[in-house]
Structure formats: structure tokens, C-alpha cells
Amino acid sequence: MDDSRTSPASPSAMRVVDVQVPVAVDQAYSYRVPRGLELKPGDVVGVPLGPREVLGVVWAENPNPDPRLHNRLKDVSEKLDVPPLREELRRMVDWVATYTLSPRGQVLRMTLRMGEHLGPERQRMGVRLVGSPPQRMTPARRRLLEILSDGLLHSKSDVAKEAGVSPGVIDGLVDEGTLSVEAMPREPAAPIPDPDFSPADFSPDQAKAAETMRELVQAGGGFRAALLDGVTGSGKTEVYFEAVAEVIRQGRQTLILMPEIALTGQFLDRFALRFGVRPLEWHSELTPRTRARNWAAIAAGEARVVVGARSALFLPYGDLGLIIVDEEHDQAYKQEDGAHYHARDMAVVRASIAKIPIVLASATPSVETEVNARKGRYQRIPLPSRFGGQHMPQIEAIDLRRAPPARGRFISPVLAEQIGHAIEKREQALLFLNRRGYAPLTLCRACGHRFACTICDAWLVDHRFRQRLVCHHCGFSMPRPHQCPHCGAEESLVAIGPGVERLQEEAASLFPNARTMVLSSDLITSIETMRSELNEIAEGRVDIIIGTQLVAKGHNFPRLNLVGVVDADLGLSNGDPRAAERTFQLLNQVIGRAGREQGRGVGFLQTHQPEHPVMKALVACDREAFYASEIDIRERTLYPPFGRLASLIISAGDRPTAEGFARKLAGCAPVDERVQVLGPAEAPLAVIKGRYRFRLLVKSVRSFDLSNYLRSWLALGPKTKGNLKLEVDVDPQSFL
Ligand SMILES: [Zn+2]
Ligand SMILES: [Zn+2]
């Protein structure tokens, strides 16, 4: 029965719904519901918005629409044939928008990324051998018929490729009645993983952790947060797979968040070994067609396990039962354009709203997560040793003050000697330097001129592979000139400092017979090339890998036994309150790449400050000491997680406008003894893309509703107009 027919026919009694559209507005708009259309909150609808037709989500019924407005409202155009957004997801969108001060429509947009083509899929056609052989036989026809002799339905394009024939050859045989054309059955977007396909063989430590994992998801639902705390190589992945297996048995969905989807090639293989099929992937390089299929499979609950980058958190899972955040400490979880959010923290929010368990996995947890585990808010599930009882790499500091590299070189003789031994033993070595390009600075020997970006406050980085000087902040680039633009001297330019490309040059001159490879994000053209280069290394076709932080994440190189950190001090000097934590995590992770198979890993830290607490903790393999000192500092200075931070970044095309606005805004900050407003100060990167930037840092006690404070402040403050831009970053990770 159609209920709407029974309602009174007067126009004022017609229904009105509030529809949230995925554009940068907070407000839902009212639309009339045409007679005969059944709508409820969560339904995905098409609505007119100005001259356009857009997708939107029914956010609420509007029970008392103003009758005077009624005739001015537009109608909902259509209801889409997709599952409605569940209440838990709508609540999460509201929550994230409120917390991060982002327009609700902007957050909603992340849930509706289903691609453009929701229309019916192109039907794939297949061919089958049905009649007698043709009168005229050719080699091409023979090859084709041989493959089809099984009498099964084969995809037309696949069989043409396999036989090496053109589609015309197939069409000819269809005309003669030898073959028939039939529609292929639709392939499922996501085959169901088999929880019992190939159970892992666990060590006693792992078995215990795996049991706790199963208990976590068996507990009959409810929100629970756990920290799976295991050193690199301890088999964290296989252990959390046990929780995944349990959730598959329950018929529910698991989301596995990864910091960097390009690096998950090996992970997908490990998953397939354990469960028989690959999980569904969600990332930015999906084709529109695959994106639409995957989105639909996720919304329908058919995709049981989804692996994705941070944006996968906002998808409309039909029945989410578990979230895993792998490498939870990774900085890549923080999104810094559009809605500024931290995917790990928002994943905890989603799990809590959906009342499901969440597992955060890391060898070097963020200080926030470590404190939550220490206070018992998160259950700690420890994995104390490496798989198979192997040892963590032995770490040594190389004091660059005592054993400096030769002039213009960056590898200390001590490290070079060790690399030489590794290569003799046919083992791999990794040189780690978190700097892309050839050299971070180019200057003129004759006049001292330094090459800087024309629109940012940054030096241009020499990229020899591309033969250009490049700005890492805006992408501006220029060819490396032969003449100094300042004094006109010829061939006077010198490269200052090392980047990975320059290190490769040095490694090649030190070890002329070694095969070297640079792994750096700017040299990677696609997820596929990235995965194939990583495979080449894993197969041992490279002797010395030279890499940026890309190599620190997620990949297993069985022959890698030596890691040399070329500049261990690099991340410590940037004035960032998280510098020590980041450096500790990054170096721990990168050195942990060594010796994972044979257990004879060694790590070398080239440093000017071996007495720094981070270096000492790394060398002593004393994680506890690091956390103890770092937690103590945060507690004393009221930095997160003992206090809260937000930053406001004001930018404009000229300096006085940006500074004037920042001062006016600071002047309007409501006075509250629990809050401190610092600044405005010129941002450390004072100019990016020609925009002058000022920064206000807001610090409060932990138990304070900082988002609400910011909202009332911004309502009082001056309004941005013209070229002025104000970005709000609650819980900032970057301080540049
Ligand atoms: Zn010059
Ligand atoms: Zn620039």
C-alpha cells in the first residue's frame, strides 16, 4: 500500500524533508516529497541545487514546515536505488563536522564517493562451442576451437587474447553456427574470504595474543579498544587476522585502515594466503567503474573485508563489525586539506558510535595511544618477540664528530665498511635518508646566490633525474641553469647537502659493482609501479636500496640485514613538539626492516648527538625509557594527550592583510582561564604558493570542549572575505 495516498490532499499537508547535500555547507535544505515517494532519513536522493542536480542524503523529516515557504520549495527528484546511510554513519558525520569545525556537507561528501557511473553495468558477453567445426579451418580458428573444446562459456575478450586472434575470427565462427554468444554471469565485486582457508601456525606468544583477539570480537558486540603492541616482525598482521576471521564467521564486515595504500602489495598477498582471496581495496586510483562497484558492495555488506586509506573510514558499511588501524602512529592518517581530521581518532569515534571493537596496531604507538593503554582505557595486547624467536637488530650510533665522511660525502667510513661486508655476504643494505631529490639547496660559488622558490618561503631542491630545481611546497620547478642568474658566472652552481639521488651517486662510486635503487615518492608514477619495484627488491635483484620514509612502511625484504640511517638528527631540529616522537617512531620502523628473516639485522645511526634521549633509547633498544621521558615532558608542558591543541592558520595574498586579520581575530578570543591563545606568529613556512601565513595556537586543559570554544570565538571574530582564508586544525599534527 502507498501510504501517501491516504494522507489529505491539501498542499500544506505534504511532506517535507531536510536533505544534506555534499557541498561545503553545514545546513540541510528542505525539499518537498512528491506524492508516491517513500522517504526516510538516510535515503540517498537526487535534488535540484541551483541550476544543478546533485546527490544528497535525507537527514531528517521536517514535521512542521512553514506553509508559507511551501510553494517555494523544490521537489526531491528521485530516490536512488542504493542502501540508505545508516544512523550510525549519519551520527558520525555530525560528530566529525562538529569536532573538526568542518561543514557537515564536506564531511558527508567523503561517504558518497561512489563514482559517477551508477548506471547498469555493461554486460560482458561470452562464447561457447555449440555446433560442428567450420568447413574452412585456419590456424587461428584451430587455436580458438582448441581452447573452447571444453564446452564452457568463455569471456569473448579473454579467449580472443588467449588464442591470439582478432574478435573478427570469433564473429566469423558465430555466423557459421559453430559458436554461440551468451551473456556472462555477473562477477561478484567481492568474493567472500574463507576464515578457515589456511590458519596460521603460531608461536606460544602469538597464540595467546590471537586468542585475546578472538575474545575481543566474540564478546557479543559493544565498543572496546585494544592496542596490539608488537615489535616489527612479531607477526602482528597474522594475529589480527584471527579477529578478522572471527568477524567473517559472524557474517559482518571488517575495515582495515593502512597509512599508505601503495605499500600494501605484500599485505594483499598475505591476506590471500590466509583467506583464499584478496580483500576489497579502496583508494584514489580506482577506476570510476570499480569505485562504483566497490562502493555498492560495501554498502550492501557484500564486501566482508575492506582495506583502504583514511578515506575508507567514511564509507557506508552495511554491517561493520570491526575496525583495525594498522601502524596507528603514522602521520599519514592526518588529513590536512578540506576537513582536517585524524583518521585514527575518528576511527575510534566510529567504533564507539557503532558499538564495535577497534584494534590499533603498532610497534611504536603514538604517545596518545600509549597513554590510553597505560591508563587502561585501551586493552594492551602485547606481542613481545619476533616471529621464530629472532632478535631485533643490533643498533649502533656512529658519532659523525669522530668519524666524519670525506668532504662532499655523506657516508661515514665506518658505515661504508659495514655495507661492504654486507654486500660480500650477498646481503642487502638500506641507506635511509628522508630527503627527496639530489640536494636540498643549490648555491652559486661565485656570489653566494641561493635558489629559492619565487612564490614560497623555501629553497629549491635539485632533482637530477628530472634535471630540474623543484619547490617541495608548491611544485614550482625550473631547469637547472648553467649560469648564475644573479652574477652571471658560468658553471658556478654547487649542490649543498644530500638527497637520496646524491646518496645513490656516492653509493655507486663506493661500490661500483653493486646494484642500487632509489625509492622515493617523487619517482613513483603509480601504485602498480611502486608494487613492482618493491617486489624487485624483495626478490633480491638490488644490493643497496636508497630510500626516503617510503621504505620504512610495511614491506618485508627478506635479504635486508643492514640499515644505515644517513642523518638520524634530521627530524629533530624542526621545532615541532612531536619531533622526538616522530624521529623515534620512524627510525625504529626503518631499522626494524633489517634482519626480519634471518634475525641478524644491524642498524647504524649517523648522528652528531649520540647523547640525545632518542638516540640513546634506540641504541639501548629501550622503548620504555623513551616513552617515560616523552610522557613526562608532555605532562609537564600540558601538550597532548595531557592538554589539547588547535591551530588557526590565516593566509592571504599579502602580508599586512594576513597579519591584520590574525591580530583582529586574536583580539576577539573569549577569555577563559582554561585556554591560552598563543600568537599570532608568522608560520614557520611563512609563504606557500604566494600566500602569506600566520598562525594562532590554542592550548587548553584536557577536559575542555575546545571545538565549542573555537566555534563561539569564530562567530565573534572578523569574517574572512576576498583573498583571506582561515583554516581550523583541531589536534594539529603539523606545525609548519
Ligand atoms: Zn652567482
Ligand atoms: Zn614553492
Side-chain angles (χ1 to χ4, degrees), residues 192-202 214 237-239 241-242 245 248-249 269-277:
I192 294 181
D194 176 359
D196 303 309
F197 182 77
S198 174
D201 196 4
F202 284 137
R214 278 190 293 271
T237 310
E238 279 69 22
V239 166
F241 278 169
E242 291 311 299
I248 296 170
R249 287 188 195 102
D269 293 341
R270 279 160 88 182
F271 187 94
L273 278 177
R274 173 67 183 79
F275 295 106
V277 294

Side-chain angles (χ1 to χ4, degrees), residues 40-57:
K40 56 185 182 316
D43 280 338
V44 183
V45 291
V47 289
L49 184 70
R52 291 180 302 152
E53 188 68 24
V54 297
L55 285 185
V57 175

